[in-house]
Amino acid sequence: MVEKPADGHSPLFEVRGLRIVYRRPGSRPVEAVRGVDFTLDEGETLGIVGESGSGKSTIAKALMLLQPVAGGSIVFCGKDIASLDAAGRQAYRRDVQMVFQDAAGSLNPRMTIRQTLNEVVKITAGGGRGPANRQAVQKPEDLLGIVGLSDAVLDQYPRELSGGQCQRVSFARALAAGPRVLVADEPVSALDVSVQARILNLLRDLRRNLNLAVILIAHDLAVVRNVCDRVCVMHHGVFEDSGPAEEVFAHPASDYTRRLLDAVPDVARALRARAGVPAL
């Protein structure tokens, strides 16, 4: 069932009965997502957590219009995104931006950071959208300041930056459009635990300072529990559990969620505590 905000306001995203099927020549169709429902409210962080192959990244691609939908609907601000015309899709892509897991791989290796950010600024110039007249940030220097990087990286190439710096640049690129929603697909899984802590703190700051709504895709239960307001636990294309994060983790409804919680290794907990990432 689709969750409605307690105050009665319409959510930013309302997803109903979402089905996604992969069809490959010579192979049987694979139903990667099987009728999931969820909502996302203004300024909220929703975590979708599960093991590799569970379907969580497939949902992210569908939200970004990168994956065809076999059934159900994705409604953003009252409009089904499947019915948007060209202008509507352009506006939607400004409002909903994605941060990819492979930050370095998502950046053009032949472009400096300045060129990368200027390209997005040029494409979205005058197109900033969102509540309270949120506008796209026009200067690369300002974008880097928002994500905690100095101007010194502007004329460097992705290969000259660390993994954490590349991820911050990815956040800066996404923010250039003045979005209302960030879809972050495993943004810290490729980073060591000390860098993870800094990126997660950045994510919290962006949400608080810019009133961003965030959909966080992850397989790490500690990350989801300590960053997200609500969480959906995904397994084999369906949500096994969903609800407020603390409630789901304190009182899991499914055996699968309980097994995930039991599988969190003590060593990982200790490392995260040492790095400043709250443990389960």
Side-chain angles (χ1 to χ4, degrees):
M1 175 174 286
V2 177
E3 302 164 19
K4 287 286 188 181
D7 57 10
H9 294 166
S10 296
L12 283 177
F13 269 115
E14 189 168 358
V15 177
R16 298 181 178 180
L18 183 64
R19 293 180 57 249
I20 301 172
V21 178
Y22 288 126
R23 293 182 171 87
R24 297 181 177 88
S27 302
R28 295 178 59 185
V30 176
E31 194 170 20
V33 178
R34 301 186 286 133
V36 303
D37 301 345
F38 65 90
T39 64
L40 180 73
D41 211 3
E42 193 86 51
E44 180 184 32
T45 299
L46 172 69
I48 301 178
V49 61
E51 61 192 356
S52 296
S54 61
K56 56 190 188 299
S57 292
T58 300
I59 292 176
K61 292 176 183 177
L63 295 176
M64 300 307 302
L65 299 172
L66 298 175
Q67 175 64 49
V69 171
S73 62
I74 301 174
V75 175
F76 180 75
C77 292
K79 295 182 179 180
D80 191 326
I81 65 173
S83 67
L84 296 175
D85 58 15
R89 283 178 169 239
Q90 185 177 18
Y92 175 78
R93 288 190 170 108
R94 287 193 296 261
D95 276 338
V96 184
Q97 288 284 307
M98 189 166 183
V99 175
F100 295 90
Q101 175 181 356
D102 182 5
S106 71
L107 300 173
N108 190 329
R110 298 185 178 182
M111 296 174 68
T112 65
I113 304 309
R114 185 191 302 275
Q115 291 170 328
T116 294
L117 297 179
N118 274 331
E119 180 181 52
V120 182
V121 168
K122 180 180 179 180
I123 292 171
T124 61
R129 303 174 66 82
N133 298 315
R134 177 184 293 139
Q135 293 295 315
V137 179
Q138 298 298 309
K139 295 181 179 180
E141 295 86 349
D142 295 338
L143 287 165
L144 291 183
I146 292 173
V147 300
L149 288 176
S150 72
D151 298 355
V153 307
L154 278 173
D155 296 311
Q156 293 182 295
Y157 291 89
R159 64 179 178 273
E160 299 177 286
L161 304 181
S162 68
Q165 287 175 317
C166 283
Q167 195 59 279
R168 288 176 183 267
V169 170
S170 294
F171 275 102
R173 180 179 58 182
L175 295 175
R180 300 176 71 173
V181 180
L182 280 183
V183 179
D185 187 9
E186 300 274 13
V188 299
S189 64
L191 306 174
D192 65 53
V193 291
S194 61
V195 180
Q196 283 183 20
R198 293 195 288 271
I199 296 299
L200 292 175
N201 286 334
L202 169 64
L203 190 59
R204 291 189 186 96
D205 291 343
L206 293 177
R207 175 196 170 184
R208 180 176 62 250
N209 297 335
L210 302 179
N211 193 35
L212 286 171
V214 178
I215 296 177
L216 177 61
I217 308 295
H219 66 267
D220 191 315
L221 297 177
V223 167
V224 170
R225 176 179 179 179
N226 290 288
V227 174
C228 299
D229 302 301
R230 288 187 299 116
V231 61
C232 299
V233 180
M234 194 166 195
H235 183 50
H236 289 170
V238 299
F239 289 160
E240 296 279 355
D241 266 304
S242 64
E246 286 300 323
E247 180 178 326
V248 168
F249 289 113
H251 306 287
S254 74
D255 289 338
Y256 177 72
T257 303
R258 284 189 284 271
R259 289 198 303 270
L260 284 182
L261 290 169
D262 291 341
V264 177
D266 293 336
V267 173
R269 294 182 186 179
L271 287 173
R272 283 186 168 76
R274 189 182 308 166
V277 180
L280 284 170

